[in-house]
Amino acid sequence: MNECDKCGSPEIIIKKKQSGQKLCSKCFIESTKKKVLKDIRRQNLIEKGDKVLLGLSGGKDSVMLLDILSTLKNRGIIDLVAVTIDEGIEGYREEGVELAIKNAEKYGVEHRVVSFKQYFGTTLDKIIQNNSLDVRRNACTYCGVFRRWIFNRVSKEVGATKIATGHNLDDETQSIVMSYLEGNIQNLTRIGPKSQSKSDKFTVKIKPLREIPEKEIGLYVIAKELDVHFAGCPYAGESFRAEIGTILKQLTANHPTIMYSTLRGFDKIKPVLKKEFATESVFEVCEICGEPSASRLCKACSFLKQWEDQG
Amino acid sequence: MNECDKCGSPEIIIKKKQSGQKLCSKCFIESTKKKVLKDIRRQNLIEKGDKVLLGLSGGKDSVMLLDILSTLKNRGIIDLVAVTIDEGIEGYREEGVELAIKNAEKYGVEHRVVSFKQYFGTTLDKIIQNNSLDVRRNACTYCGVFRRWIFNRVSKEVGATKIATGHNLDDETQSIVMSYLEGNIQNLTRIGPKSQSKSDKFTVKIKPLREIPEKEIGLYVIAKELDVHFAGCPYAGESFRAEIGTILKQLTANHPTIMYSTLRGFDKIKPVLKKEFATESVFEVCEICGEPSASRLCKACSFLKQWEDQG
């Protein structure tokens, strides 16, 4: 029967391949929200009194997370501030910033737009264009380092105790599989729903959507008619991550639970890998920016220096 | 310059993408053989005085391994017996058996052809045809169980101390990635160049070609003009292994060292996984066949029983 398994409505919008569960729009929204809130509790991602900095790009993942975290804010459990980073990607970022502003207003959430330009004096476009093919191919690596630097810096400026990002099941499985294939054990020891603060100068990062497939996030924002930025980053197509993402999506067609089994297996072996392989970094202070760093210069400053030296 | 890096010959047959090394046919054969013999020593796969049972399908991997192991036999280091299993796959296995016989004769190696029919009273074709779609899709799983059973039984019949198979780098990386994606940690604790004998009734299995890419094995048999069975098993196309194999081949085009990095990473974490997760099986004796087994019936006998019960 084509009826919602929860309320009996004939208008189902999803039949989950893994469980066979059928849900109407309203029950899908409710059950997804409930799952995320349960994951947050189960993994102790957020505590009462936390001030959460939400990385709000304006894309589907971060807007869905805004939707869910704002319920925690409205219940007086957390304080919430949304931060949008303008990396300086022409023809792409402008619309995301606009939608981030619109959504933050709609949910009545404090919002800051910050930029690479403001913190680093340049844009991602400029960094990538003036650089070698190798840098262009690894745009995501560079951008990721700069974004993490900004989130961490801003979290201290606003007094946030957690940084929440919209990483979903697809993103997380990609990271795991990439690290497996690269034999990058250090990376494996760091992937997870909640960062272990290696220094008290790093704000703890959390991923509340880590167990929600990208497809269901797309469905959530459609079902709830959220206004989000659906375009993909122009640099993403060239990355190893994108290759692995395509492969995992293709595998999911024949093996609907494969991302879950990859994640479950990884979550079982990760504590063991961490115990055995995680290097205890001694943190110094970056000579240029003053942020904590494993070496004389932090990654962001050493990338910037490389780039300036070339220019 | 297009010259062999070792002897200067202008007729190079390989330029290795990972190292850039260029080799002529003769030097490629020599260096590959040397690498395999070095891997055997380094990993202590074979000791002086071993009697090695070589699983000889007649395909490129096992014939190359015959070529290399026969040099150890000719030097008086090991005793060698080749065993070919006729699974009963019509239109496919006959040619493999023929080429196995021909090659064993050529190298002057003792050879036995044994069959599913002889040990189990039936053929793989019959088992698969009379069964459900699920069994057909997992033909490799069933066949693998039966083949391992036969190799182990025959190794005791001929007094072999090691069972050598032609698994190559592609095969091994497939097994690793499949287990990662399935979250199958028990499997991960068992993958490696040399089985740890869980019971003295299991002959130790070794994989001397584990670090040689399938492509280089193909090139070796062509360069050495070995007469091998190049057809693929008709059942292989449907398996999860085949899907993963295709993906890894595609990734290798852009990332030439990816199978090596996957293997290296796995080999580093495997001892840790083994220590933490490997279940110490208590072995009993299978009620039907008398071989060691983790439960009342061994896997081969329980598959056969399932099949007989259905027929």
Side-chain angles (χ1 to χ4, degrees), chain A residues 217-229:
Chain A
I217 292 178
L219 201 56
Y220 187 98
V221 303
I222 290 168
K224 237 191 148 169
E225 295 180 8
L226 302 180
D227 203 2
V228 308
H229 188 210

Side-chain angles (χ1 to χ4, degrees), chain B residues 43-62:
Chain B
Q43 300 172 111
N44 199 25
L45 302 188
I46 288 175
E47 285 161 277
K48 195 171 157 57
D50 263 331
K51 178 162 186 175
V52 178
L53 182 161
L54 165 64
L56 182 66
S57 67
K60 62 185 185 333
D61 310 292
S62 63

Side-chain angles (χ1 to χ4, degrees), chain A residues 174-230:
Chain A
Q174 284 159 21
S175 299
I176 294 167
V177 172
M178 286 163 68
S179 303
Y180 279 150
L181 295 177
E182 290 169 331
N184 191 333
I185 299 174
Q186 282 309 313
N187 253 8
L188 288 171
T189 67
R190 282 190 290 258
I191 297 170
K194 188 178 179 180
S195 72
Q196 305 298 320
S197 179
K198 287 166 278 184
S199 149
D200 56 8
K201 289 192 174 160
F202 283 124
T203 307
V204 174
K205 278 169 287 178
I206 57 171
K207 300 174 187 164
L209 304 185
R210 182 181 187 251
E211 305 209 4
I212 310 294
E214 190 184 10
K215 252 191 177 170
E216 293 186 17
I217 292 178
L219 201 56
Y220 187 98
V221 303
I222 290 168
K224 237 191 148 169
E225 295 180 8
L226 302 180
D227 203 2
V228 308
H229 188 210
F230 261 118

Side-chain angles (χ1 to χ4, degrees), chain A residues 76-300:
Chain A
I77 298 173
I78 60 167
D79 210 0
L80 189 57
V81 51
V83 172
T84 302
I85 298 179
D86 181 352
E87 306 91 353
I89 305 175
E90 225 189 296
Y92 164 71
R93 176 48 67 211
E94 300 83 349
E95 195 190 335
V97 170
E98 205 177 291
L99 283 160
I101 293 171
K102 206 169 146 184
N103 277 295
E105 265 177 23
K106 171 179 154 191
Y107 286 94
V109 167
E110 183 189 338
H111 185 217
R112 288 198 185 194
V113 180
V114 297
S115 65
F116 277 23
K117 181 97 193 151
Q118 165 189 351
Y119 282 99
F120 306 124
T122 185
T123 65
L124 188 67
D125 281 344
K126 279 192 187 141
I127 294 173
I128 300 301
Q129 278 153 22
N130 293 4
N131 229 311
S132 64
L133 182 68
D134 188 54
V135 173
R136 256 174 285 155
R137 219 186 266 141
N138 295 298
C140 298
T141 307
Y142 290 82
C143 185
V145 165
F146 295 132
R147 293 168 59 86
R148 280 192 293 276
W149 187 98
I150 290 185
F151 278 138
N152 195 56
R153 169 67 63 101
V154 176
S155 72
K156 289 182 284 182
E157 291 172 7
V158 303
T161 51
K162 299 276 162 67
I163 298 169
T165 54
H167 291 93
N168 58 42
L169 178 64
D170 296 51
D171 298 326
E172 192 76 345
T173 319
Q174 284 159 21
S175 299
I176 294 167
V177 172
M178 286 163 68
S179 303
Y180 279 150
L181 295 177
E182 290 169 331
N184 191 333
I185 299 174
Q186 282 309 313
N187 253 8
L188 288 171
T189 67
R190 282 190 290 258
I191 297 170
K194 188 178 179 180
S195 72
Q196 305 298 320
S197 179
K198 287 166 278 184
S199 149
D200 56 8
K201 289 192 174 160
F202 283 124
T203 307
V204 174
K205 278 169 287 178
I206 57 171
K207 300 174 187 164
L209 304 185
R210 182 181 187 251
E211 305 209 4
I212 310 294
E214 190 184 10
K215 252 191 177 170
E216 293 186 17
I217 292 178
L219 201 56
Y220 187 98
V221 303
I222 290 168
K224 237 191 148 169
E225 295 180 8
L226 302 180
D227 203 2
V228 308
H229 188 210
F230 261 118
C233 175
Y235 293 115
E238 300 173 25
S239 67
F240 183 43
R241 177 176 289 280
E243 271 184 89
I244 299 301
T246 305
I247 287 170
L248 286 170
K249 273 199 182 56
Q250 285 164 351
L251 281 170
T252 296
N254 279 334
H255 314 276
T257 58
I258 204 160
M259 290 195 210
Y260 287 108
S261 62
T262 305
L263 190 79
R264 296 278 170 261
F266 170 72
D267 282 353
K268 263 184 230 151
I269 69 178
K270 188 208 153 165
V272 183
L273 297 181
K274 205 169 166 203
K275 200 173 66 189
E276 194 76 17
F277 296 106
T279 51
E280 231 3 279
S281 315
V282 180
F283 284 95
E284 303 170 57
V285 161
C286 171
E287 281 182 7
I288 296 179
C289 70
E291 293 290 324
S293 165
S295 39
R296 210 168 51 83
L297 296 187
C298 76
K299 268 194 190 170

